[in-house]
Amino acid sequence: TVSRKAFDSACASMHMDAATTNNLWLKLHEQCFLSGGEHITPGVTPPREDARNVNSWHWDNANLMPWAKSRLKSLLEGLEVPNLPDKGWLRITKLVKCEGDCETNTRKGKVIVCFDMRVVVKWEGEINFEEVGGEISMPYIDNVETEDGNIRAEVKYEKDKNSPRCPTVVRQLVDSDLVPIVKHQMRYFLSELMSKSTKGPKNTTTS
């Protein structure tokens, strides 16, 4: 974003007269994208000389990906299926990926949250004295797919391609106990995320 003071200074260095400078400034506001992608149409008040976006009137956006990664790490890592027999355990041990876009867009005082992310977590455990592990991928964390609280999950049941086939009992535990816990936390995350918009959080109680 270029301030009026800087613009005037640049025009003066080119020996441009005051009237031409002013006309060019107004013309720029009619045709150019300013202030982080704001399209200034005829009749819209040009940006202030001090560059302040008063009352969030002009288009502005904020990157929420750093917050999203940190929050998901806090919400997901350590999730564990309770009360497994024979000292068995099954838990989320790592946020492997959180990639894509997550941001707020502000215009005329209204805040809209836009997101399109892929989230992958690593799960590990020991069932019947056998070490197990894999990944849970949630590839469609976006405004459309999760609108009604739906979280699509894809499960990888082996640690790597050389791992033995995952026992059926473990697959069942992951599907029936661990995945629902992860989905619950993802809905909580989405509720927090949507609370950053003007409209506030949506109802995400769908199972």
Side-chain angles (χ1 to χ4, degrees):
T1 302
V2 179
S3 69
R4 179 60 190 267
K5 183 177 180 180
F7 179 83
D8 287 347
S9 177
C11 290
S13 69
M14 300 295 293
H15 308 291
M16 194 176 295
D17 61 78
T20 302
T21 297
N22 189 60
N23 288 336
L24 180 57
W25 174 253
L26 294 175
K27 193 67 176 178
L28 283 171
H29 288 301
E30 291 176 357
Q31 298 181 1
C32 295
F33 283 90
L34 299 176
S35 187
E38 162 76 338
H39 184 61
I40 307 298
T41 55
V44 176
T45 304
R48 292 163 51 110
E49 292 187 19
D50 61 8
R52 290 182 60 194
N53 191 359
V54 179
N55 295 326
S56 300
W57 184 257
H58 297 295
W59 188 272
D60 194 12
N61 67 330
N63 181 18
L64 295 181
M65 279 302 289
W67 171 84
K69 290 178 181 179
S70 175
R71 192 65 183 123
L72 284 171
K73 182 180 177 68
S74 174
L75 288 172
L76 298 176
E77 289 186 358
L79 288 179
E80 186 168 359
V81 176
N83 304 320
L84 292 179
D86 299 321
K87 298 183 179 180
W89 59 276
L90 200 60
R91 73 173 67 101
I92 302 300
T93 56
K94 183 179 180 181
L95 174 66
V96 178
K97 290 182 181 178
C98 177
E99 55 190 14
D101 300 301
C102 184
E103 63 181 20
T104 57
N105 293 309
T106 306
R107 180 69 171 100
K108 295 184 178 180
K110 296 181 179 180
V111 181
I112 302 171
V113 175
C114 299
F115 58 98
D116 184 0
M117 297 181 290
R118 176 173 179 254
V119 178
V120 180
V121 295
K122 179 180 180 180
W123 64 269
E124 294 180 282
E126 184 177 303
I127 304 296
N128 295 332
F129 307 103
E130 182 178 352
E131 293 185 358
V132 293
E135 291 182 347
I136 300 172
S137 174
M138 292 161 283
Y140 306 111
I141 305 300
D142 60 57
N143 293 79
V144 177
E145 289 289 332
T146 64
E147 186 173 12
D148 297 321
N150 297 317
I151 306 291
R152 190 185 306 183
E154 300 171 356
V155 182
K156 180 180 176 182
Y157 298 98
E158 287 79 31
K159 290 183 177 181
D160 54 57
K161 62 181 180 180
N162 297 319
S163 298
R165 178 176 174 81
C166 184
T168 300
V169 64
V170 176
R171 288 171 175 258
Q172 292 174 342
L173 279 172
V174 171
D175 292 343
S176 65
D177 291 58
L178 187 59
V179 170
I181 295 174
V182 171
K183 287 185 176 182
H184 175 80
Q185 290 296 83
M186 286 301 300
R187 293 189 188 98
Y188 185 80
F189 164 78
L190 291 174
S191 177
E192 287 190 332
L193 177 59
M194 294 307 298
S195 71
K196 298 179 182 296
S197 71
T198 305
K199 293 182 180 180
K202 295 181 180 181
N203 186 352
T204 57
T205 57
T206 304
S207 61

